[in-house]
């Protein structure tokens, strides 16, 4: 097939736009979407220090590449890359190595922080504890917390997250399904207590991020987290892909519809308090992260007591 714009050989057919695009026009299209969203949501301000959450996967590596390409010439801006090691055996190590190499190839200072060192427990510990909750709930809450904490310590004024269109659509649908409207309203709102999170890839479909990375020779790791398939997000992802196959553009309409809804509704006006344990801002007396860590600590204490009793009893 031929590119709808120039007649060269097409590398992709965008069903939602009806266009065939050649390599050059496809790469331009991705960059145009990213630039447009950065302007529309005023993602970057003068003198920003942007902390990019870098996992070593295709999305975050592409994000770092594009941010450097689009903004790298600006002398008032600074970039750092932060990777989080959640402690998932056999999965994260390789990706972290990839992240390290890629950040260094772009001359971006890179920092790695681990759950185990910061909180005493890893995602594997949580998964093995036998709780009903899927490991992703623990992992997601703690990753967010650690990223915020470390970005602040490093002096960042923005946190760039590599959420693509698929991630955004999944998040919206996920919160609808869980009936979590407060969370839905909070999704795109900024609060001065937290470092603003920006998502420059939010209008680029996941498949296109992958194609972009391949065409630009951006190295990325393709391994899948062993816990991914246990999450509700994974079911939502499958469902959305299934619908998108038959009704192209549904992911865009879900996200755009949500944005319109948020404009119509009043801004959430709840007070934040300080978590009684970690002292960080939280919607409840004890923040979600500390609540989960407490459960793990209790379990660990009980297990060591049980162990001592079995060992010591005759
Ligand atoms: Fe963590 Fe879930 Fe992502 Fe795995 S899939 S890294 S457990 S959030
Ligand atoms: Zn806390």
């Amino acid at each position: 097939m031929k590119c709808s714009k120039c007649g060269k050989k097409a590398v992709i057919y965008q069903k939602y736009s009806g266009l065939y695009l050649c390599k050059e026009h496809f790469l331009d299209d991705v960059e145009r979407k990213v630039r447009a969203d950065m302007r529309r949501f005023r993602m970057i301000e003068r003198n920003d220090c942007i902390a990019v959450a870098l996992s070593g996967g295709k999305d975050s590596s592409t994000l770092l590449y594009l941010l450097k390409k689009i903004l790298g010439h600006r002398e008032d801006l600074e970039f750092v890359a932060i990777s989080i090691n959640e402690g998932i055996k056999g999965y994260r190590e390789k990706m972290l190595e990839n992240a390290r190499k890629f950040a260094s190839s772009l001359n971006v200072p890179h920092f790695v922080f681990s759950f185990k060192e910061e909180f005493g427990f890893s995602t594997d510990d949580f998964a093995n504890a036998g709780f009903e909750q899927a490991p992703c709930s623990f992992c997601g809450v703690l990753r967010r917390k650690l990223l915020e904490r470390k970005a602040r310590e490093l002096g960042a004024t923005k946190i760039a997250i590599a959420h693509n269109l698929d991630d955004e659509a999944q998040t919206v649908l996920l919160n609808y399904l869980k009936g979590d409207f407060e969370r839905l309203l909070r999704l795109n709102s900024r609060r001065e207590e937290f470092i603003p999170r920006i998502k420059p890839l939010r209008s680029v479909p996941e498949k296109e991020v992958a194609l972009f990375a391949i065409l630009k020779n951006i190295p990325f790791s393709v391994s899948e987290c062993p816990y991914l398939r246990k999450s509700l997000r994974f079911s939502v992802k499958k469902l959305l892909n299934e619908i998108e196959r038959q009704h192209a553009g549904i992911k865009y309409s879900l996200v755009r519809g949500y944005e319109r809804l948020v404009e119509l509704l009043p801004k959430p006006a709840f007070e934040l308090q300080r978590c009684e344990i970690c002292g960080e801002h939280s919607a409840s007396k004890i923040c979600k992260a500390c609540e989960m860590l407490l459960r793990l600590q209790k379990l660990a204490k009980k297990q060591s007591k049980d162990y001592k009793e079995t060992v010591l009893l005759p």
Side-chain angles (χ1 to χ4, degrees):
M1 278 298 168
K2 297 203 165 137
C3 175
S4 314
K5 298 194 174 182
C6 69
K8 279 193 204 149
K9 189 172 162 260
V11 293
I12 188 173
Y13 172 55
Q14 288 177 335
K15 210 172 167 191
Y16 60 85
S17 70
L19 294 177
Y20 289 92
L21 296 174
C22 68
K23 178 177 171 183
E24 196 184 326
H25 279 112
F26 165 71
L27 295 174
D28 278 357
D29 187 61
V30 170
E31 198 175 317
R32 183 188 54 78
K33 283 178 176 136
V34 171
R35 284 178 186 272
D37 272 353
M38 291 208 299
R39 265 196 308 274
R40 180 173 163 221
F41 294 98
R42 295 200 188 92
M43 291 187 191
I44 308 295
E45 289 157 291
R46 278 200 74 73
N47 301 320
D48 261 342
C49 171
I50 306 158
V52 182
L54 186 68
S55 70
K58 64 181 188 320
D59 301 292
S60 61
S61 298
T62 300
L63 173 65
L64 184 62
Y65 170 87
L66 276 168
L67 285 176
K68 281 290 279 184
K69 176 163 191 274
I70 297 172
L71 304 165
H73 65 283
R74 292 231 340 227
E75 292 193 354
D76 61 316
L77 301 178
E78 248 184 274
F79 296 89
V80 290
I82 299 180
S83 297
I84 304 289
N85 184 354
E86 305 92 342
I88 301 170
K89 206 166 180 324
Y91 164 64
R92 194 49 95 197
E93 296 88 348
K94 213 179 131 215
M95 292 186 78
L96 287 176
E97 180 53 18
N98 201 36
R100 188 189 63 74
K101 280 192 196 147
F102 190 58
S104 126
S105 75
L106 294 177
N107 288 325
V108 175
H110 180 227
F111 301 86
V112 183
F113 303 102
S114 89
F115 279 5
K116 196 85 179 178
E117 276 169 35
E118 297 288 331
F119 303 120
F121 294 97
S122 65
T123 297
D124 280 342
D125 293 334
F126 186 86
N128 295 331
F131 298 137
E132 245 179 48
Q133 273 168 306
C136 291
S137 50
F138 172 86
C139 194
V141 167
L142 268 82
R143 187 184 313 113
R144 194 185 173 99
K145 187 181 186 70
L146 191 52
L147 202 55
E148 168 83 22
R149 185 187 288 174
K150 294 300 170 185
R152 192 176 297 280
E153 284 174 18
L154 289 166
T157 51
K158 297 280 158 60
I159 298 179
I161 308 285
H163 268 199
N164 56 46
L165 175 72
D166 294 51
D167 297 317
E168 285 295 280
Q170 286 157 26
T171 305
V172 171
L173 186 55
L174 204 62
N175 286 316
Y176 275 123
L177 291 174
K178 291 203 277 194
D180 198 344
F181 281 91
E182 278 152 22
R183 183 122 192 191
L184 263 180
L185 289 179
R186 284 205 308 258
L187 266 184
N188 281 347
S189 66
R190 286 186 181 182
R191 289 197 66 119
E192 58 182 33
E193 294 91 343
F194 298 110
I195 302 176
R197 294 157 73 89
I198 57 170
K199 300 171 185 170
L201 298 180
R202 65 195 299 285
S203 293
V204 187
E206 180 171 2
K207 274 190 190 149
E208 297 190 19
V209 178
L211 182 59
F212 186 97
I214 292 167
L215 294 175
K216 280 284 180 191
N217 290 321
I218 295 171
F220 63 87
S221 168
V222 284
S223 51
E224 181 184 293
C225 173
Y227 304 124
L228 176 71
R229 287 166 192 259
K230 292 186 180 174
S231 65
L232 177 58
R233 181 178 283 273
F234 186 73
S235 311
V236 168
K237 179 181 178 139
K238 276 199 307 194
L239 179 74
L240 273 173
N241 283 343
E242 187 54 40
I243 306 176
E244 178 81 31
R245 247 191 297 282
Q246 311 209 17
H247 305 276
I250 210 81
K251 290 172 190 169
Y252 277 114
S253 47
L254 184 59
V255 172
R256 299 293 178 251
Y258 157 73
E259 284 167 5
R260 277 206 295 279
L261 183 70
V262 169
E263 277 167 23
L264 295 174
L265 294 173
K267 296 267 167 290
F270 60 93
E271 279 293 304
L272 282 183
Q273 29 188 330
R274 294 274 183 179
C275 166
E276 285 179 358
I277 298 177
C278 66
E280 287 171 25
H281 288 287
S282 156
S284 47
K285 265 186 169 181
I286 294 182
C287 74
K288 262 199 172 147
C290 288
E291 195 187 292
M292 289 182 185
L293 290 166
L294 271 181
R295 279 171 71 198
L296 276 171
Q297 279 161 6
K298 272 189 198 148
L299 185 78
K301 253 191 216 153
K302 185 172 173 295
Q303 279 170 347
S304 81
K305 193 168 149 259
D306 288 352
Y307 175 73
K308 270 186 215 143
E309 277 170 5
T310 31
V311 175
L312 297 176
L313 286 177

